[in-house]
Amino acid sequence: MERIGAVLIDIDGVLTVSWKPLPGTVAAMERLREAGIPLALVTNTTSRTRASIARKLVGEGFPVSADDILTAPAVTAAHLRKHHPGARCLLINTGDIRDDLTGVTLVDEDEEESADGGAPDVVVLGGAGDAFTYAALNRAFRHVQRGARLVAMHRSMYWRTAAGLDLDTGAFLLGLERAARVEAEITGKPAGSFFATALAHLGATAPHALMVGDDIESDVLAAQRAGLTGVLVRTGKYLPETHRAADGTPDHVIDSFADLPALLERPGT
């Protein structure tokens, strides 16, 4: 394991499903900690803040802290501060993530057309859920038509819950982009900048880092395009047919995150 400079780990579907640990994942992370491997939990989860995620995972036994977690909302905040400084942003998201959107000016629905500020400059799509109503999406469509920039935290089409697969932001984003004839700025996975931010956070380089995920496109192949080693797990949203139809081949495929320490101990890994 000493040759591994960093491990990036997706949370939902890899460590947990509906925030409950998958078998063997806590013990596997403890082994990585014992080996002294720098790690970051990188997630497109948009329903919780970094602090809230850390509290939940610690409560389930994972040896992590908020500093170990990099979320799409946190990266989105940095993107907005850099590329749209001072912009009035309309956020459509299920879950309260305002604490992770530091330095971002958010406008509420009743403030969108206020006399002092005017319409939003940027429409930001977070995670799908009850907030993704027809009225909300149509409102976003109209603002984008009028010239607002469209920023999305990710393109994930679905995620795994205890009840099965649920639709995610990407399913709605595709329709919005096509209807408004624009292309969204993507800030979370699979954006290369997301992986670069995570590596910089750990002081690691791509050739000596691994990304472990259950989404072959957004987690694994995207990481490989960024120069990391990709490890696909057969848990969470993994589907054999999606694996077969993918545009590339993962560097490694394992049954579960519980098998990662053994993979890292193989000669030549």
Side-chain angles (χ1 to χ4, degrees), residues 1 3 14 27 42 52 87 97 106 124 155-156 163 167 176 194:
M1 291 190 191
R3 290 177 288 108
V14 176
V42 291
S52 173
I97 54 172
L106 298 177
V124 182
R155 287 191 179 277
S156 298
L167 283 176
L176 184 56
F194 187 96

Side-chain angles (χ1 to χ4, degrees), residues 78-226:
H79 175 89
L80 291 170
R81 291 193 300 268
K82 179 179 180 179
H83 297 284
H84 304 287
R88 288 164 46 84
C89 300
L90 172 64
L91 173 66
I92 301 176
N93 180 69
T94 300
D96 186 2
I97 54 172
R98 289 173 182 255
D99 286 350
D100 278 352
L101 296 177
T102 54
V104 177
T105 301
L106 298 177
V107 295
D108 295 325
E109 180 180 347
D110 57 0
E111 299 173 332
E112 290 176 33
E113 302 291 352
S114 62
D116 59 337
D121 305 301
V122 181
V123 172
V124 182
L125 294 188
D130 292 342
F132 274 51
T133 64
Y134 173 81
L137 292 171
N138 194 51
R139 193 161 61 246
F141 171 60
R142 288 178 174 174
H143 286 309
V144 172
Q145 278 189 308
R146 295 168 185 161
R149 301 298 293 268
L150 179 61
V151 173
M153 295 187 187
H154 60 79
R155 287 191 179 277
S156 298
M157 302 294 286
Y158 50 83
W159 80 95
R160 172 75 65 179
T161 71
L165 296 177
D166 284 356
L167 283 176
D168 209 345
T169 303
F172 303 94
L173 178 61
L174 285 173
L176 184 56
E177 287 179 314
R178 186 166 181 178
R181 298 181 181 179
V182 300
E183 184 173 348
E185 302 167 27
I186 307 299
T187 55
K189 297 176 292 182
S193 57
F194 187 96
F195 297 104
T197 299
L199 292 175
H201 177 70
L202 294 175
T205 59
H208 298 98
L210 290 86
M211 172 66 209
V212 186
D214 64 329
D215 187 318
I216 190 170
E217 297 290 348
S218 293
D219 290 338
V220 180
L221 298 183
Q224 290 178 193
R225 288 192 292 270

Side-chain angles (χ1 to χ4, degrees), residues 231-246:
V231 181
L232 178 66
V233 295
R234 296 190 182 98
T235 55
K237 67 168 63 174
Y238 174 86
L239 295 172
E241 55 267 33
T242 305
H243 187 175
R244 290 191 297 267

Side-chain angles (χ1 to χ4, degrees), residues 248-267:
T249 302
D251 293 312
H252 301 281
V253 181
I254 56 179
D255 287 335
S256 164
F257 181 79
D259 300 320
L260 184 67
L263 172 67
L264 297 182
E265 290 168 355
R266 291 182 196 168

